[in-house]
Amino acid sequence: MDAQVLVAELDSVPSALAPFRAAHRGALADADGPRLAAAVAEAERILAPLLEATAYAEGRLAADADDEAGARVLARCERVWAEVAAQWDFLEPELARARESAEPDRHRNYLARIRDSVALQPPDTVAAALARLDPVPALESLARQLLARITVGGGPLGAALPALYGPDRAHRRERADAVDSALLAEVDVRASVLGALAEARVARAEVSGARDWLHADRVTNQIADRDLDALLTAVHDHRDIVHRYYRWKETQLGHPLTDSDRYAPLPGLTGEFSWEFACAVATETFARLGLDELAAELLSGDTVDAFPRAGKQRGAVTVGLPSGRVAVLLNFTGTPRDVLTLAHELGHAAHARLAAGRGAFNATCPAVLGETVALFTESLAATVLAEHVDDARTAVTARAVEDRLVAVFRQVALHDFETWLHTQQEPAGAEALAAEWMRGQRDLYGDAVRLTEGYRHWWSYLDEFFLRPGGRFAYPYGQVAAMALLARFADAPESFGPRFYALLSAGACAPPAELLGAFGVRPDDPRSWQAGLDVLSGQVDALCGTETTG
């Protein structure tokens, strides 16, 4: 959609704020069902253009951080959000106090999320003081500058990391050594900033009445403490899956593994996959779920921005707008990982497209649910891909299994590192951070991978630690739940598709645990996590009984 059209629609928001305030302020906490439903629906209608424009601008900036049109739209959105905050300061507190018996079914879970989030908001006087004194925004700005200054061979760090997935062992080691050297520069400064950020965020959580540094993230994802604890315990107890895989990989590569060999491809892959082949794999994957028409629609037109170009950011992201419009951004180069990434992002896109039918307030799902969907479509696509590459089936399957191990076990290791960071009595320096990083990474890989001395500062380039802490658990949650769904699909593929369609169409109208419960996947039952890990363990065992070709 054209930016000018979005901004024109955005102009309707400020003029509607005052009339809504006059009509509803002081009346929502005790409103009956019809009035509460009408007020929430009106608020949703008023805010929809703002939510739409914000998602659009963030999507443009995800594709190109220097996109001027996207930056202008986002700046306009931020000004309107400030007006919303000033005019509608009454809305969420009153909705949080609304009688549950009056809640409209359409927005029942939305109101439950508001109640939980409002409970973590400090009193107005404290919030005002915190806004003036909170050092987090300034520290994050400094962190961005420091991270941007990490260069390898005169180029950005991100350009050096893909070499770790290449077949040339000497080149992998050379690139890893170059990263080691690059990370030594300013590591003490990055450590100081990271420690200060952790300390400030913990203080902010305490002021808000949170039980711990992760409380707000659990609330946002609607995951209970005990459910997350059960997941983390299950993953910690099954790290031998990772060790078995890498010991097998060592036999396939024919040499001991170091940190620069972790992501090396197995023999058997020659050439690159075409974009047309990747689209065919994705379409067949979605056809097995009864969603082939939706996949074809998403792959047509300009929905997918597939190929690298100057100025385009690395990686992949899907932006879903409340209206159901979606944009998928990839950097497709023909690797097996790229083929699976397409299926992953189309899972997000299908979810966003179908969830839009629930309205703007229910269109954005918690990360744990969104990753469950996308990692499931990716895992199913890996099965489809393996069926089409007889000569390289083992290598392709190993690539897919390795990505799942990363999503589960490496992400939990990152989560553990963050937890340690946020529970220190005082900020840790670079050497303490390096020591804790190496301890966690040795637990992750065991004796199957030798970690070199230079690897000790690799924590210091991960921008999630600095800018987006707390969200690591969404990936192991999503991957293990996806493995459990994969088992359900294998048991009854004919009936799975309609239930999966219902899951996508539900959006955020119910908590993730309730929606996944329809498949018999229960995050409150440790047996569900065990079932997902059993599937992954079985995949590793199957690989350990095979030999690569080529």
Side-chain angles (χ1 to χ4, degrees):
M1 172 171 279
D2 187 87
Q4 292 181 340
V5 175
L6 278 172
V7 172
E9 295 177 351
L10 184 60
D11 289 339
S12 68
V13 177
S15 61
L17 298 178
F20 183 92
R21 179 185 179 91
H24 298 294
R25 186 186 183 198
L28 297 179
D30 297 318
D32 60 17
R35 176 163 189 179
L36 186 63
V40 174
E42 184 182 358
E44 184 175 45
R45 176 186 59 78
I46 291 170
L47 291 181
L50 178 54
L51 293 166
E52 188 93 350
T54 303
Y56 169 84
E58 290 175 344
R60 289 193 65 143
L61 291 171
D64 182 356
D66 297 323
D67 182 83
E68 294 182 0
R72 286 195 298 271
V73 175
L74 186 59
R76 170 70 171 134
C77 289
E78 289 173 346
R79 292 194 294 272
V80 177
W81 278 118
E83 294 182 58
V84 172
Q87 292 270 12
W88 284 12
D89 57 334
F90 71 95
L91 182 59
E92 290 195 351
E94 288 197 33
L95 290 178
R97 299 196 307 273
R99 292 181 287 118
E100 292 189 37
S101 60
E103 291 177 349
D105 287 341
R106 176 183 175 90
H107 293 112
R108 189 175 303 280
N109 193 50
Y110 169 71
L111 293 174
R113 299 202 312 268
I114 284 181
R115 278 195 301 274
D116 291 338
S117 64
V118 165
L120 292 177
Q121 293 176 7
D124 290 344
T125 54
V126 175
L130 187 61
R132 293 195 305 271
L133 301 174
D134 186 7
V136 169
L139 288 169
E140 287 181 344
S141 177
L142 178 57
R144 289 188 182 92
Q145 296 175 48
L146 291 169
L147 292 168
R149 291 210 292 257
I150 301 173
T151 59
V152 179
L157 172 66
L161 295 175
L164 299 179
Y165 292 86
D168 187 329
R169 188 185 187 200
H171 184 57
R172 291 196 305 269
R173 185 68 262 166
E174 183 273 328
R175 289 286 81 189
D177 289 342
V179 172
D180 294 346
S181 299
L183 294 179
L184 283 173
E186 298 187 315
V187 67
D188 289 335
V189 182
R190 294 196 300 278
S192 296
V193 171
L194 182 58
L197 275 168
E199 189 175 42
R201 287 171 175 141
V202 168
R204 187 166 61 182
E206 291 174 349
V207 168
S208 300
R211 290 193 299 276
D212 56 54
W213 76 281
L214 200 60
H215 189 175
D217 291 281
R218 292 195 301 270
V219 166
T220 299
N221 280 279
Q222 296 189 284
I223 180 172
D225 298 12
R226 65 182 182 278
D227 299 347
L228 179 56
D229 289 344
L231 168 63
L232 296 175
T233 298
V235 174
H236 288 145
D237 289 346
H238 290 80
R239 277 189 291 232
D240 65 294
I241 298 174
V242 180
H243 305 165
R244 295 203 314 272
Y245 171 79
Y246 280 105
R247 282 195 290 267
W248 170 80
K249 186 171 184 175
E250 177 182 325
T251 67
Q252 304 305 300
L253 293 179
H255 58 73
L257 303 183
T258 70
D259 45 84
S260 64
D261 300 316
R262 290 169 298 151
Y263 305 133
L266 268 62
L269 284 178
T270 57
E272 298 176 349
F273 295 117
S274 69
W275 172 247
E276 291 74 19
F277 176 77
C279 291
V281 169
T283 301
E284 184 175 343
T285 299
F286 280 77
R288 297 186 184 187
L289 300 168
L291 297 171
D292 44 324
E293 291 185 5
L294 177 56
E297 178 187 339
L298 292 171
L299 287 167
S300 64
D302 58 358
T303 297
V304 181
D305 181 349
F307 301 103
R309 64 174 181 277
K312 186 177 181 182
Q313 292 194 24
R314 303 188 68 84
V317 65
T318 294
V319 178
L321 277 60
S323 63
R325 292 188 290 267
V326 294
V328 177
L329 307 171
L330 305 171
N331 282 281
F332 185 85
T333 60
T335 68
R337 201 162 184 249
D338 291 341
V339 176
L340 300 182
T341 297
L342 173 62
H344 181 109
E345 297 303 327
L346 288 179
H348 283 309
H351 203 176
R353 175 66 57 83
L354 296 178
R358 295 284 180 170
F361 286 170
N362 287 321
T364 302
C365 298
V368 293
L369 183 61
E371 291 305 325
T372 297
V373 166
L375 289 164
F376 170 76
T377 55
E378 177 184 335
S379 297
L380 185 57
T383 301
V384 175
L385 175 61
E387 293 172 358
H388 289 278
V389 288
D390 287 340
D391 292 342
R393 182 168 298 174
T394 298
V396 166
T397 302
R399 173 76 273 157
V401 168
E402 195 167 294
D403 286 345
R404 292 166 200 163
L405 296 176
V406 168
V408 176
F409 295 95
R410 184 171 187 271
Q411 292 296 338
V412 166
L414 299 184
H415 170 86
D416 292 343
F417 182 82
E418 281 192 325
T419 299
W420 174 86
L421 175 66
H422 287 85
T423 53
Q424 296 302 295
Q425 295 301 310
E426 58 185 42
E431 285 308 308
L433 287 163
E436 178 62 21
W437 170 258
M438 292 296 277
R439 186 198 64 77
Q441 295 294 295
R442 289 189 180 106
D443 286 347
L444 170 62
Y445 295 111
D447 61 1
V449 178
R450 183 177 67 83
L451 302 179
T452 60
E453 181 66 14
Y455 185 65
R456 60 190 290 101
H457 294 310
W458 281 51
W459 56 269
S460 72
Y461 84 85
L462 296 173
D463 58 1
E464 294 94 338
F465 291 157
F466 295 84
L467 306 175
R468 296 181 298 279
R472 298 301 91 203
F473 64 79
Y475 296 98
Y477 182 113
Q479 187 66 80
V480 179
M483 292 293 94
L485 290 180
L486 199 64
R488 302 294 189 277
F489 173 80
D491 290 341
E494 298 81 7
S495 63
F496 187 92
R499 289 188 291 159
F500 190 66
Y501 182 91
L503 172 66
L504 301 186
S505 302
C509 73
E514 181 178 328
L515 295 172
L516 293 173
F519 297 85
V521 178
R522 299 186 56 84
D524 60 346
D525 185 345
R527 289 174 296 182
S528 286
W529 300 128
Q530 182 65 52
L533 289 167
D534 284 346
V535 173
L536 187 52
S537 181
Q539 292 174 344
V540 170
D541 288 342
L543 274 174
C544 290
T546 63
E547 296 292 334
T548 57
T549 60

